[in-house]
């Protein structure tokens, strides 16, 4: 747990490494300095004298954790409000989500809501919370892209060649993921459903292990976050074939999308937002939505997120609610069609 009430209005330059099931950010002792930052906006009326807690269901330093701390800093600067980031790790994110769903609906407890909450719900039964009705969506904060990649020892230069080879020799090609039900796993299962590709799944127990084995050529393919994949592609270890997004990434403008290569309806982005417990008054939701949209519109925030492979999004609370509502049945359908369970 980190109290950010007394933080100086500076941001740390952060470099991503990958560990477990989410991006990890290592903080360098290099700051941009107050002189290089835009002046903080005039303070608006704070919510109350009590601190706001943002529950992050993943470890400190993860991608969701970075976004929570950015949101906390913006709220502190704009409202003069004390904000606590509380990392509740466990049960693939379900522990933190459950705690947030049980909190008082008064705006003082928020959840850094990631679409893995919905993926978990598609896989698991009897969750201790309702992933849709248990929360009041506030705003989508950012999105990240996954790229379909192969090891450089493989001859494939596009998805068609990979699909054809996997069908011709289904026992020869393996793909890895950080674990069953992770976005990396479900992205490949969706790709297989849409194309008929035959690749065997090798689940790991964290991102570091699967990436290391992928770079070493022990597995032939995986969906990998685009900014991580670019580092290894430039080193000549892997080849990025396509992005699993609806549009090309500014980080990799030369890498086509799956749709451009003839694979329709196979999009899988990582998205992140903030939600409050169900029953939170709409006027409180709109106050948070307004201030966070203001922050996400600023170039310094957008540039920081882009440097980490994330695209600032923003939007209305209604739009975020609609995204959540339509995403859950989508993942349920994919999980059922692919015959995926928590054990396979």
């Amino acid at each position: 747990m980190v109290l950010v009430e007394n933080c100086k209005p500076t941001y740390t330059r952060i470099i991503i490494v990958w560990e477990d099931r989410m991006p990890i950010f290592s903080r360098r002792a290099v700051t941009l300095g107050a002189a290089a930052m835009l002046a903080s906006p005039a303070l608006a009326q704070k919510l109350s004298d009590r601190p706001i807690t943002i529950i992050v269901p993943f470890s400190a330093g993860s991608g969701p954790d970075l976004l929570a701390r950015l949101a906390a800093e913006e709220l502190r600067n704009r409202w003069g409000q004390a904000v606590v980031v509380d990392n509740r790790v466990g049960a693939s994110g379900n522990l933190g989500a459950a705690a947030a769903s049980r909190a008082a609906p008064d705006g003082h407890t928020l959840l850094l809501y990631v679409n893995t909450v919905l993926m978990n719900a598609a896989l698991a039964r009897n969750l201790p919370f309702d992933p849709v009705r248990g929360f009041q969506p506030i705003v989508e904060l950012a999105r990240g892209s996954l790229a379909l990649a192969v090891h450089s020892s493989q001859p494939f230069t596009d998805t068609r060649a990979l699909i054809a080879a996997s069908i011709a020799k289904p026992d020869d090609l393996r793909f890895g993921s950080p674990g069953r039900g992770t976005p990396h796993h479900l992205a490949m299962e969706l790709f297989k459903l849409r194309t008929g590709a035959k690749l065997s799944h090798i689940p790991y127990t964290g991102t570091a292990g699967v990436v290391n084995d992928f770079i070493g050529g022990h597995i032939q393919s995986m969906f990998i976050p685009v900014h991580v994949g670019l580092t290894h592609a430039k080193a000549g270890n892997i080849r990025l074939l396509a992005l699993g997004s609806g549009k090309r990434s500014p980080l990799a403008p030369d890498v086509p999308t799956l749709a451009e290569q003839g694979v329709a309806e196979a999009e899988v982005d990582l998205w992140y937002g903030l939600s409050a417990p169900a029953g939170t008054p709409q006027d409180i939701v709109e106050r948070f939505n307004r201030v966070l949209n203001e922050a996400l519109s600023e170039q310094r925030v957008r540039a920081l997120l882009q440097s980490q492979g994330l695209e600032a999004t923003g939007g209305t609370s209604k739009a975020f609610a609609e995204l959540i509502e339509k995403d859950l049945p989508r993942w349920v359908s994919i999980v059922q069609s692919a015959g995926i369970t928590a054990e396979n």
Side-chain angles (χ1 to χ4, degrees):
M1 183 184 302
V2 177
L3 182 66
V4 300
E5 181 178 6
N6 297 317
C7 290
K8 295 180 181 179
T10 61
Y11 285 95
T12 302
R13 185 181 176 189
I14 303 168
I15 306 297
I16 292 182
V17 296
W18 283 75
E19 190 174 298
D20 299 324
R21 298 188 175 198
M22 279 287 168
I24 302 296
F25 298 79
S26 62
R27 293 169 176 79
R28 286 186 174 181
V30 179
T31 60
L32 298 180
M37 301 296 295
L38 296 177
S40 296
L43 292 179
Q45 184 178 3
K46 61 185 177 181
L47 196 63
S48 75
D49 290 329
R50 294 164 49 202
I52 295 168
T53 297
I54 301 177
I55 294 177
V56 180
F58 300 98
S59 60
S62 63
D65 182 68
L66 168 73
L67 286 166
R69 293 176 196 281
L70 279 176
E73 180 73 358
E74 292 300 326
L75 292 171
R76 186 195 69 81
N77 284 343
R78 294 166 187 270
W79 286 356
Q81 182 90 34
V83 184
V84 173
V85 175
D86 183 2
N87 298 94
R88 300 279 189 98
V89 182
S92 299
N94 290 335
L95 186 65
S101 72
R102 295 191 298 265
D106 58 7
H108 290 85
T109 302
L110 308 178
L111 173 69
L112 203 295
Y113 196 111
V114 187
N115 60 343
T116 53
V117 171
L118 301 177
M119 295 176 183
N120 289 341
L123 280 167
R125 297 180 180 179
N126 301 319
L127 287 178
F129 61 92
D130 187 319
V132 177
R133 307 303 170 198
F135 300 97
Q136 175 62 52
I138 294 174
V139 66
E140 183 185 356
L141 295 173
R143 293 197 182 200
S145 298
L146 293 172
L148 174 61
V150 295
H151 190 260
S152 57
S153 63
Q154 301 301 310
F156 318 120
T157 57
D158 58 38
T159 57
R160 295 178 184 86
L162 173 63
I163 294 165
S166 72
I167 293 173
K169 295 183 178 181
D171 296 329
D172 286 1
L173 294 174
R174 300 179 300 279
F175 78 93
S177 79
R180 295 180 178 91
T182 57
H184 318 63
H185 175 206
L186 296 185
M188 186 65 84
E189 295 295 349
L190 177 57
F191 174 74
K192 290 165 61 179
L193 284 172
R194 297 290 184 260
T195 64
K198 307 290 185 183
L199 296 96
S200 301
H201 182 210
I202 307 297
Y204 287 71
T205 56
T207 303
V210 67
V211 170
N212 287 338
D213 271 12
F214 182 35
I215 300 310
H218 302 293
I219 52 176
Q220 289 75 49
S221 181
M222 72 174 291
F223 269 88
I224 190 168
V226 63
H227 55 290
V228 178
L230 279 172
T231 299
H232 298 295
K234 290 176 181 177
N237 297 313
I238 65 173
R239 187 179 305 116
L240 303 184
L241 299 185
L243 292 180
S245 301
K247 60 182 180 180
R248 295 197 182 197
S249 168
L251 297 178
D254 296 331
V255 180
T257 65
L258 286 170
E260 288 179 275
Q261 296 202 38
V263 183
E265 299 181 355
E267 298 170 7
V268 52
D269 284 330
L270 299 171
W271 52 254
Y272 311 82
L274 273 179
S275 287
T280 300
Q282 191 62 29
D283 63 322
I284 293 178
V285 169
E286 292 308 319
R287 284 194 64 189
F288 279 111
N289 179 274
R290 191 159 48 247
V291 72
L292 292 168
N293 270 301
E294 289 173 0
L296 291 168
S297 70
E298 294 191 6
Q299 183 56 36
R300 61 183 173 85
V301 174
R302 301 179 74 87
L304 175 61
L305 292 177
Q306 183 171 322
S307 72
Q308 311 308 320
L310 299 173
E311 178 183 1
T313 47
T316 65
S317 59
K318 181 181 178 181
F320 188 36
E322 291 173 348
L323 172 64
I324 292 171
E325 288 189 4
K326 74 178 184 180
D327 225 28
L328 179 56
R330 176 173 180 255
W331 287 115
V332 169
S333 175
I334 291 166
V335 165
Q336 291 177 346
S337 298
I340 305 168
T341 70
E343 290 76 35
N344 73 353

